[in-house]
Amino acid sequence: MSQWIPFGEGEYGVEAIFLAAPDNTALSLENGVIEVYQDAAGRRRLRGKARVRPYYMVQLMEENDAVDLILDLGGEFKYRLPEPLLRAGKVFSPDVKAVLQFSPTAPWYRLSEAEYAEVGRLLSFISL
């Protein structure tokens, strides 16, 4: 997992970000940002954050043990991060937003424009 990140160190805004479950349900996130940094061994690492409504995240995960994170960084830069480690606030009111922190458990893989469009076509988003 050491050199799968094609970007230099820094913070990158995310145009679109969502959690996608194996049953094709999904939840949109807001204000996504990823950070690429170098660890002590000189390897590039990734971590990120976005805003989520934990109430709806719980709904999504009640039916699905694992979810993937889909990231659109703009242009041709679209990725699927399989089963990331997720951490979010624990307030479960439908109107409350919290920061969701995520980090990879495996390398991400790039989605072509056609693959990204197909993913979007198949998903049913939880309404807010």
Side-chain angles (χ1 to χ4, degrees), residues 1-126:
M1 194 167 35
S2 62
Q3 296 302 324
W4 54 269
I5 303 168
F7 304 107
E9 290 181 59
E11 285 192 358
Y12 299 88
V14 178
E15 287 192 12
I17 182 170
F18 51 92
L19 296 171
D23 67 359
N24 289 328
T25 56
L27 178 62
S28 290
L29 307 176
E30 300 173 355
N31 306 107
V33 175
I34 61 168
E35 178 188 3
V36 176
Y37 63 97
Q38 192 169 354
D39 68 12
R43 295 176 299 232
R44 282 188 303 259
R45 299 289 185 197
L46 174 101
R47 62 183 163 221
K49 60 185 175 183
R51 307 251 316 148
V52 67
R53 293 181 189 236
Y55 176 84
Y56 294 105
M57 189 172 153
V58 168
Q59 270 188 316
L60 178 69
M61 298 192 79
E62 279 180 347
E63 299 294 323
N64 302 278
D65 291 335
V67 294
D68 291 349
L69 191 66
I70 309 294
L71 299 146
D72 177 356
L73 301 177
E76 64 201 51
F77 301 104
K78 295 167 177 49
Y79 298 92
R80 178 182 288 264
L81 187 57
E83 300 184 27
L85 177 62
L86 303 172
R87 291 181 295 274
K90 294 178 174 51
V91 177
F92 301 117
S93 169
D95 298 327
V96 173
K97 293 181 185 178
V99 173
L100 170 72
Q101 297 175 336
F102 57 89
S103 56
T105 58
W108 66 11
Y109 59 91
R110 195 168 189 173
L111 299 172
S112 69
E113 292 286 340
E115 291 169 322
Y116 183 79
E118 180 68 8
V119 167
R121 186 186 68 74
L122 292 173
L123 292 176
S124 174
F125 284 83
I126 295 174

